[in-house]
Amino acid sequence: HFEDARKDYEQAIAAEPKYMQPFERLSWLALRESKWQELVDRTDQWLRLDPLNSADVYYLSSIGNLQTQHPDIAEKNAREAVRLDPAKKNMRTRYILGLALAQKQDFTASAAAIREYLATTAPDAKDTEVVRKQLAQIEDAAKQQTAAAKPQ
């Protein structure tokens, strides 16, 4: 099923390399299959075609870059996704931003982004408990970081 879709989108790209929809679909497919490097590659291609496209491409790119241990790019793209989403349709971008900031050991900013995500998420959402636990760990790391930075 996925392979048939992938083949069809690849054929569409071969026929019309500047048509963005196949890149978008292949990006979502890569996310669904947890193919992180493919997700990075597809979103890079999509961004080259139209860097002013939509928040979705930056959101997807931030996930792929987060998963492939490129927190600087993940942060940059998550921030761009947030900027392109003033209506706050995809609050999960704030969570991804928070994870990227945690990878960069900016625990205070990470906690703020994750708190913003949790503030808009239904209390019974499927990932709420996991995110709360991550937030507690990040807040602890922020406290330790702050304490270590204070002169004794």
Side-chain angles (χ1 to χ4, degrees):
H1 164 80
F2 288 142
E3 283 310 311
D4 291 339
R6 185 180 314 285
K7 208 180 302 180
D8 290 343
Y9 293 133
E10 293 289 352
Q11 288 174 347
I13 290 170
E16 183 53 60
K18 294 188 181 204
Y19 184 53
M20 285 183 295
Q21 189 173 15
F23 292 104
E24 177 184 6
R25 299 288 190 238
L26 285 166
S27 296
W28 285 107
L29 190 58
L31 174 68
R32 183 178 178 110
E33 295 179 306
S34 302
K35 293 184 175 180
W36 307 124
Q37 188 57 53
E38 181 180 334
L39 179 57
V40 169
D41 295 341
R42 293 300 180 186
T43 55
D44 284 352
Q45 292 168 320
W46 186 6
L47 282 166
R48 277 193 296 278
L49 284 176
D50 187 7
L52 303 175
N53 189 300
S54 73
D56 284 349
V57 66
Y58 289 99
Y59 169 70
L60 291 169
S61 179
S62 67
I63 294 170
N65 279 288
L66 181 71
Q67 293 294 334
T68 56
Q69 304 303 309
H70 296 105
D72 290 329
I73 299 169
E75 176 194 2
K76 176 175 123 332
N77 288 340
R79 288 189 187 282
E80 186 63 10
V82 168
R83 187 186 73 75
L84 291 170
D85 183 21
K88 298 183 177 183
K89 292 180 184 176
N90 185 359
M91 289 303 292
R92 191 156 180 84
T93 305
R94 279 90 178 151
Y95 173 60
I96 300 302
L97 175 60
L99 294 178
L101 290 165
Q103 272 191 4
K104 293 175 63 175
Q105 298 188 5
D106 186 348
F107 299 118
T108 301
S110 171
I114 293 173
R115 276 193 296 275
E116 185 177 2
Y117 167 67
L118 282 172
T120 61
T121 304
D124 60 343
K126 64 180 179 177
D127 69 342
T128 300
E129 196 54 42
V130 170
V131 174
R132 282 190 180 128
K133 287 178 183 176
Q134 288 174 319
L135 177 59
Q137 292 171 336
I138 290 167
E139 287 173 333
D140 286 345
K143 288 175 190 169
Q144 291 173 11
Q145 195 174 53
T146 301
K150 287 183 181 176
Q152 297 298 327

